[in-house]
Amino acid sequence: MTTEPVVKKRTMIKALNEALDIGMEIFPEMFLIGEDIGEMGGDFGVTRKLWSKYGGERVRDTPLSEAAIIGACVGSAMVGMRPVAEIMFADFLGECYDQIVNNAAKLHYMFDGQFKASLVIRTACGGGFGGGPHHSQSVEGWFLNVPGLVIVAPSNPADAKGLLLASIESDDPVLFLEHKALYRSKGEVPEGHYTTPLGSAAVAREGTDVTVVAAMRMVPMALDAAEMMAAEGVSVEVIDLRTIRPYDADTIVGSVRRTGRAVVANEAPALGGLGSELSARISQDCFHDLCGPVVRVDGLDTPIPFSDDLEKIVLPDTADVVSAIRTAMAQPSRGKQ
Amino acid sequence: MLSSLYHDMWLIRAFEQGLESEFEKGNVPGMLHTGLGQEATQAALAAHLEATDTYFPDHRCHGINALAQQRHRGDGRRIMAELFGRSTGVCGGKGGSLHSADPLAGNFGDNAIEGSYMATVLGVALAAKMRGEAKVACAVIGDGTVGRGEFHESLNMSAIWELPTLYACVNNGYAIHTPVGKGHASADIIDLARGYGFACEQVDGNDVVASHDAVGRAFEHIRGGRGPFFLEFKTWRWQGVFSGEFRPAEEVKYWREQHDPILMAADRLREMGWTEERLDEVENESRRTIAAWIEFAKQSPAPDPAKATSDVYVGFTVEAP
């Protein structure tokens, strides 16, 4: 006898908060650490009410010392703790880049498996809210070239909760990217404990004519674009990466081999980023199945400007995804479908 | 007590000189930073560190690593083998001189980004405090590390959280080529540490008895739950820079001839009635031991090629070529 899980409408903030709460209940060795995450509940309220429930020892406020925050996570993980750090804005990761890249990510390998960096670094990333050059960046490209690091990037509240619980349970260091523009988006979220597997993409919408690969905020844009194209009789498959490193190449390659057309949608600048990697992989593994080149949607090759009028020029939007799909659909058919 | 410290200092010196000789012959890969001249500081720290404590060694700490490995794990040879990149090394040859670790010996590994573990040590200390354990979390750092932001972040956080952290600052006078007084606001690092408001002490790092006693006071303070401790050892490294000796001749002469920690300890032992034969035997025994360790390292097999791609992740595998 199976019963349907109770599902409620939640914001991503609330879903993340539930995941942290459940994690703290399950793992006595788990603790939260970051700037103003305690009584204040974090800049975006993700740790709200956890300080009053678990106390200041396990929900630990810190000074503005990002390197020390991540160092404390690595050191405590070395003796079996399960820390979850909040770095207020992803743009601040430069302050603890060494701790993540040279310490957390290499720990298990360079000491021959004697330590595990069982830690999570949650951080708010992405543009679209007028944060300006130092509060709006998409940082995944900064970390893609770092073996040993897991990068998780949810696009909806249900995945955010399941992926965060999976990240907490993981014995690898996880950089958990929370797109600010998605924080207040709502979705159905199952109650209680569940995990969404790391390293596994989701088919967010099935389709047969063209595959759009996206992550985070580009996923709802891709879904909107798919809906618009459906009205024109184009069937769009949308793949939500969910984990950016290591990413689920099988799901992407399998889809593109079926559809024969690929669009890669990415908020960051084009050079040396996620879009570059995905295009290269699709071109290499699906070359003989493709009707034409992979079509890319990227942010412009600029910092993120403050003014809303300028920011919307720099960041990709739904219209850009639609345009890319049209470009892909204009490629001559190779007789597929 | 002085007798065992004297043995330990000779083991360190023999280790480093044996290693240096093998390095010059091209038998040791990579780079080499020795702890020659700093034996008293290292022996003093190693004498107090239990296997259940934690220390983060710096790049000149082969000596502490070897003593801890020998004392707590019964096989110091595995530190030597790691420096030769062999499968029998403590990290199977993956870490080398700059990343040798064995948590069961209390050795949590060097990090070749100097001062990086000033942040890491906070986590170990924090975990001990949260669990109510009377453990010491020690970071062995050089004077150059004081320039890193993490030095200050770490001292500040240890202070506000009253963590069981021991900062063992080995002030050997130079950060590679830069004199300590030129690189920092004070040539006495203790002046910079005092502002954080916890217990600080400075000691002659070449006086092994004074150093041993100072470390003892620091451990007692920390184990007693009285918060962090900053201990500065004033010492001097024998090794110049890769291009050779750059320091004034009088300075070299002073530290190597008049203030050598081993010669200073030998003088005390003579006063206690030790004969020259007895003193020589400690040196000879150490050199024999190290020769055997080097032979073990050289005879050990290279790492299994599968190790190149193992343990990148716990939860994912990386494909071998």
Side-chain angles (χ1 to χ4, degrees):
Chain A
M1 187 181 94
T2 57
T3 52
E4 284 295 300
V6 179
V7 173
K8 289 190 173 171
K9 273 274 203 204
R10 295 268 191 248
T11 63
M12 187 182 277
I13 290 173
K14 182 65 185 153
L16 292 165
N17 180 264
E18 281 181 10
L20 293 175
D21 193 1
I22 292 166
M24 291 285 274
E25 291 275 4
I26 296 175
F27 297 108
E29 68 272 26
M30 176 176 160
F31 68 96
L32 310 181
I33 183 166
E35 295 159 14
D36 289 313
I37 63 161
E39 192 170 6
M40 176 178 148
D43 231 24
F44 293 94
V46 175
T47 55
R48 213 167 150 257
K49 294 187 176 167
L50 298 177
W51 179 82
S52 50
K53 183 168 176 185
Y54 297 102
E57 276 288 298
R58 290 185 70 201
V59 184
R60 186 170 285 268
D61 279 324
T62 71
L64 306 190
S65 302
E66 285 81 6
I69 292 169
I70 304 305
C73 289
V74 175
S76 64
M78 289 172 93
V79 288
M81 302 292 278
R82 213 166 267 284
V84 178
E86 177 174 301
I87 299 296
M88 198 179 281
F89 286 88
D91 313 69
F92 307 168
L93 288 169
E95 290 295 317
C96 46
Y97 194 74
D98 173 61
Q99 291 297 331
I100 299 171
V101 171
N102 281 318
N103 233 352
K106 295 181 176 67
L107 189 74
H108 190 60
Y109 183 86
M110 72 181 175
F111 296 129
D112 199 27
Q114 295 181 101
F115 300 100
K116 291 172 184 166
S118 50
L119 58 97
V120 182
I121 303 161
R122 298 181 33 252
T123 190
C125 70
F129 91 127
H134 289 172
H135 288 75
S136 305
Q137 296 171 87
S138 295
V139 299
E140 52 274 22
W142 303 1
F143 293 96
L144 276 175
N145 218 319
V146 181
L149 188 65
V150 178
I151 308 175
V152 174
S155 73
N156 62 70
D159 280 351
K161 179 175 172 182
L163 287 167
L164 184 50
L165 275 162
S167 300
I168 291 164
E169 292 176 18
S170 161
D171 284 330
D172 289 308
V174 177
L175 179 62
F176 195 92
L177 301 174
E178 300 169 3
H179 199 295
K180 294 183 287 287
L182 299 175
Y183 264 150
R184 289 178 177 81
S185 67
K186 283 191 174 175
E188 310 260 288
V189 177
E191 289 276 277
H193 176 269
Y194 65 94
T195 57
T196 304
L198 303 183
S200 153
V203 178
R205 179 185 174 115
E206 290 186 356
T208 53
D209 295 330
V210 55
T211 301
V212 180
V213 187
M216 293 185 281
R217 192 193 186 198
M218 297 312 297
V219 175
M221 287 181 183
L223 290 171
D224 287 347
E227 192 63 33
M228 290 162 72
M229 294 307 291
E232 298 177 22
V234 177
S235 171
V236 180
E237 180 144 301
V238 176
I239 294 183
D240 179 353
L241 275 176
R242 302 199 293 193
T243 299
I244 288 175
R245 181 184 236 284
Y247 67 87
D248 181 355
D250 290 350
T251 297
I252 298 165
V253 169
S255 172
V256 175
R257 282 189 178 154
R258 273 190 293 104
T259 62
R261 294 182 177 89
V263 171
V264 171
N266 165 53
E267 184 173 315
L271 183 66
L274 180 60
S276 319
E277 167 57 27
L278 295 174
S279 321
R281 172 60 78 109
I282 293 168
S283 302
Q284 181 182 292
D285 289 6
C286 310
F287 188 77
H288 296 290
D289 307 285
L290 283 168
C291 303
V294 175
V295 184
R296 295 185 56 174
V297 177
D298 298 292
L300 298 189
D301 201 22
T302 70
I304 312 288
F306 168 68
S307 161
D308 179 45
D309 297 299
L310 298 177
E311 189 183 25
K312 66 188 179 200
I313 294 170
V314 165
L315 296 178
D317 59 16
T318 304
D320 294 321
V321 183
V322 168
S323 167
I325 293 170
R326 289 191 205 284
T327 302
M329 291 310 297
Q331 294 166 350
S333 170
R334 292 176 62 102
K336 298 228 159 213
Q337 306 300 326
Chain B
M1 188 266 294
L2 180 56
S3 165
S4 81
L5 290 169
Y6 188 70
H7 276 90
D8 289 351
M9 287 198 291
W10 258 118
L11 191 83
I12 297 169
R13 182 157 297 178
F15 186 106
E16 298 290 41
Q17 288 181 332
L19 186 65
E20 208 167 48
S21 157
E22 291 298 319
F23 183 78
E24 281 159 12
K25 287 184 225 160
N27 294 334
V28 181
M31 299 166 286
L32 182 68
H33 310 86
T34 70
L36 289 169
Q38 304 175 182
E39 294 88 351
T41 296
Q42 296 192 4
L45 284 163
H48 289 280
L49 284 162
E50 302 289 339
T52 47
D53 294 319
T54 292
Y55 74 95
F56 291 87
D58 78 1
H59 56 298
R60 297 188 186 277
C61 280
H62 305 144
I64 300 184
N65 295 344
L67 290 173
Q69 199 69 25
Q70 183 71 12
R71 195 162 289 156
H72 302 309
R73 303 279 278 148
D75 192 355
R77 301 179 305 171
R78 296 190 60 215
I79 293 294
M80 187 66 83
E82 185 63 32
L83 307 189
F84 278 73
R86 301 306 167 101
S87 58
T88 51
V90 285
C91 295
K94 275 178 158 174
S97 164
L98 297 172
H99 311 279
S100 301
D102 182 345
L104 298 177
N107 176 0
F108 273 41
D110 186 15
N111 183 313
I113 315 296
E114 292 302 323
S116 189
Y117 52 75
M118 285 295 279
T120 324
V121 73
L122 291 168
V124 177
L126 180 60
K129 177 151 192 186
M130 288 172 81
R131 289 165 170 165
E133 299 166 335
K135 292 180 176 176
V136 173
C138 173
V140 185
I141 57 166
D143 48 276
T145 297
V146 176
R148 291 287 308 274
E150 277 133 320
F151 174 90
H152 302 277
E153 291 189 16
S154 184
L155 266 63
N156 184 51
M157 250 138 108
S158 270
I160 59 173
W161 293 341
E162 298 177 323
L163 297 181
T165 326
L166 171 59
Y167 298 104
C169 181
V170 182
N171 182 351
N172 64 18
Y174 296 87
I176 305 182
H177 195 278
T178 303
V180 59
K182 197 175 166 191
H184 306 301
S186 170
D188 292 302
I189 304 301
I190 192 170
D191 292 342
L192 306 177
R194 278 203 180 101
Y196 293 98
F198 54 80
C200 294
E201 202 176 316
Q202 190 182 56
V203 66
D204 178 352
N206 284 17
D207 181 335
V208 74
V209 175
S211 293
H212 180 269
D213 290 351
V215 177
R217 286 191 291 278
F219 270 66
E220 195 184 327
H221 173 96
I222 295 167
R223 287 205 210 281
R226 297 199 290 280
F229 199 103
F230 188 91
L231 182 53
E232 178 182 11
F233 300 90
K234 294 284 241 182
T235 182
W236 194 84
R237 66 167 206 254
W238 283 15
Q239 198 176 21
V241 290
F242 68 91
S243 53
E245 185 53 77
F246 63 99
R247 297 162 294 193
E250 330 68 272
E251 181 179 324
V252 175
K253 189 174 160 60
Y254 169 75
W255 286 99
R256 290 190 68 137
E257 292 174 21
Q258 287 143 43
H259 215 64
D260 172 355
I262 288 186
L263 295 181
M264 288 161 70
D267 282 345
R268 287 199 195 187
L269 289 168
R270 283 190 195 94
E271 284 166 22
M272 289 162 61
W274 280 41
T275 62
E276 295 307 313
E277 291 72 32
R278 193 171 170 198
L279 289 167
D280 288 347
E281 182 45 31
V282 174
E283 174 180 352
N284 295 337
E285 184 198 331
S286 300
R287 295 206 188 278
R288 284 193 299 272
T289 300
I290 294 306
W293 288 11
I294 288 171
E295 197 52 29
F296 168 77
K298 285 174 154 177
Q299 298 302 326
S300 292
D304 180 345
K307 281 282 195 177
T309 48
S310 73
D311 293 321
V312 178
Y313 291 97
V314 179
F316 299 97
T317 52
V318 172
E319 273 180 46

